[in-house]
Amino acid sequence: MRKLLTIFRKVYSSEEWVWFLIWFTLPVSIRLNSLSILIGTLVILVSYIRNPHTISRRQLVHLSIPFMFFLLHALGVFNSLLNLQTWKELEQMLPFLVIPLLFILGKTGKNTFTQIALTALVLSLTISGVIMLVESTWRFIPDMDFSYYTYHNLIAPFHSGAIYFSLFLIAVLFQINELTWLSRNRWWKYIIVIFILILLFLAASKLMIGIGIPLFILKYRNQLIYTFLRRKIIIPIIILLGLIIVVPVGLRLNKLLKPNLEEVFAEQYKYDSPMNGLNLRLIQARFGMKILEENNAWLTGVGILDAQKLLNIKYIEYGLYTGYEGTDDTGYLNYNFHNQFVETFVRSGIIGIVLLFAMFLSLLMIPQSKLFISHWIILIVFMFFITESVLERQQGIVYFCLIYSSYFYKHPQFDNRIE
C-alpha cells in the first residue's frame, strides 16, 4: 500500500490525474466518465496552448480514421439536424473526435500512461468488485438465491453490463505484469489476480471466458507452469475457482450449446419461437442484409436514425416477440443487431465498414512497443464486436477510442517514468 501511495505522489501533473480519472470512472459510471473526459479536454487543451509541442504526422494519420468515421455518420444525418434524436446520436459518438484529440495534444508518454491507466483500472475494478459482492450477499441472505452473484445481477450496482465489466477484467489480466508497483509485491499480485478471476467467472460472459481465458493461459503458459511447480498452494485455489464457475458458466453455456439454427431462415416466427443468443444474432444479421437490399443502401447505409427503426419493423414483420401492448414488456423491439460489424454496415454501408476494419488493421500494424494495449486485447475486442454492438453504448465507444488512440509514436521527451 505504501508503494501505491508513492505512485500517487509521483503522478503529479494535472494531465496525468485526468487520465487516471478517465480510466478509473470508465467501469463504474459513464456520467462521471463523461465529466472526466470534459475536464480532461479543458486541462490538456490549456496545457497545449501554454506549451505546444510537435505533433507526429504518423499519429495524425492513425487518428484521422476515427475522425472520418464520425464525419461519415454526421454527414448521413445532415438533413435531420433539427431532430433532437440526431444530436443525441452525434453526442454519443463525440469520443471519436475528443479522445483522439486528447492524445494528439497531450504530453504523457507511453510508460507513464500505462502505469496510470492500469493502476486506475485495477483500483476501480477491485473497489467496485467488493461493493458488488457485498450487495449481492445482502440480497442473497433473505431468499438464498445464488443468481444474485452472477451475470447482470452481480453488476447491478453500477449498471455497466456484465460483458463490458468482463472486458475490463480481461484487459487488466493481460497487462497486469506491466504494473511496476504490483510486480514488486508478488502476494498482492496473486490476491488481485485471483479476485479478478473470481469476478470474471461470476460475471459469466461466455465470450470473455470462452475466448479470453484460453488466450490468457496461452500467453502466460510458461509462467503458469513455473508457478504450479514451485507453489503447490496454487492448485487448491485453482480447484476452488473451478467449483465457483460451475454454476454461472454452466447455466450460460447450456443455452449456447442448444442452438436452434433451423429457426434462422424461417419465413415467419411466433411469439414462443425458441431463441438463444446465437440464433437471435444470426436472425438479426439476416434482417440487416435485407434492410440494405430493400433500401439499396449498400454503399452508405440507411443512417444512424433509421437503422433501429427498420430493424424494429423487421421484428414485427416476421412475428418475433414484441411484448404486450400497454405494458413495459416490449420483447425484442429496440434490440440492436448485437454485432458491431453488421450494425456499422447497416448504418453507414460499405464506407463505414471499411473504416471500422481499417481501425483494427491499423492497430495490428503498429508495433506493440508503441501501443498501450496488448495485441491480445485487440483480438478479444474484435471478437467482442462480432457478438455485441459495442459502439452503440457510450462505455464501449469510450473504451474503443481509448485503446485505438493510445498510439505513442514519438513522445520521448514527455515519457516520465513511474518506477
Side-chain angles (χ1 to χ4, degrees), residues 33-184:
N33 185 253
S34 298
L35 180 61
S36 299
I37 293 174
L38 176 60
I39 294 172
T41 303
L42 296 174
V43 168
I44 292 176
L45 182 60
V46 169
S47 175
Y48 179 79
I49 292 173
R50 288 180 174 177
N51 186 20
H53 60 81
T54 304
I55 297 173
S56 162
R57 289 184 180 180
R58 292 191 183 184
Q59 188 184 37
L60 281 177
V61 171
H62 175 72
L63 297 179
S64 67
I65 303 178
F67 287 158
M68 290 188 288
F69 192 74
F70 176 87
L71 183 61
L72 174 65
H73 287 81
L75 290 174
V77 293
F78 183 77
N79 294 325
S80 305
L81 291 179
L82 296 179
N83 188 331
L84 180 61
Q85 186 60 34
T86 299
W87 290 101
K88 288 182 179 179
E89 293 286 349
L90 291 178
E91 180 188 12
Q92 182 170 297
M93 295 189 67
L94 274 179
F96 283 105
L97 290 180
V98 176
I99 292 178
L101 184 64
L102 295 182
F103 281 90
I104 289 173
L105 302 181
K107 300 178 181 179
T108 305
K110 181 196 170 185
N111 187 71
T112 303
F113 182 86
T114 299
Q115 298 302 310
I116 293 170
L118 292 179
T119 298
L121 270 180
V122 167
L123 288 177
S124 179
L125 294 172
T126 303
I127 294 170
S128 58
V130 171
I131 294 172
M132 289 173 188
L133 291 176
V134 170
E135 180 160 325
S136 294
T137 302
W138 181 260
R139 290 183 292 164
F140 166 79
I141 293 174
D143 50 14
M144 307 298 284
D145 185 355
F146 282 99
S147 66
Y148 289 126
Y149 288 101
T150 62
Y151 205 41
H152 291 308
N153 286 331
L154 175 70
I155 316 298
F158 297 99
H159 309 287
S160 60
I163 193 166
Y164 289 90
F165 195 78
S166 299
L167 176 63
F168 301 139
L169 292 170
I170 281 287
V172 165
L173 283 176
F174 270 85
Q175 296 191 256
I176 201 163
N177 279 345
E178 298 178 39
L179 267 178
T180 306
W181 63 270
L182 194 56
S183 297
R184 292 171 179 168

Side-chain angles (χ1 to χ4, degrees), residues 335-346:
Y335 273 39
N336 58 37
F337 287 99
H338 284 76
N339 181 313
Q340 188 56 55
F341 299 112
V342 174
E343 192 88 43
T344 299
F345 197 9
V346 175

Side-chain angles (χ1 to χ4, degrees), residues 170-208:
I170 281 287
V172 165
L173 283 176
F174 270 85
Q175 296 191 256
I176 201 163
N177 279 345
E178 298 178 39
L179 267 178
T180 306
W181 63 270
L182 194 56
S183 297
R184 292 171 179 168
N185 193 321
R186 185 175 298 175
W187 283 108
W188 267 112
K189 179 179 174 181
Y190 288 157
I191 291 170
I192 290 175
V193 167
I194 291 170
F195 184 66
I196 288 175
L197 284 171
I198 290 173
L199 290 175
L200 179 64
F201 291 137
L202 290 176
S205 165
K206 296 188 291 287
L207 172 67
M208 296 306 160

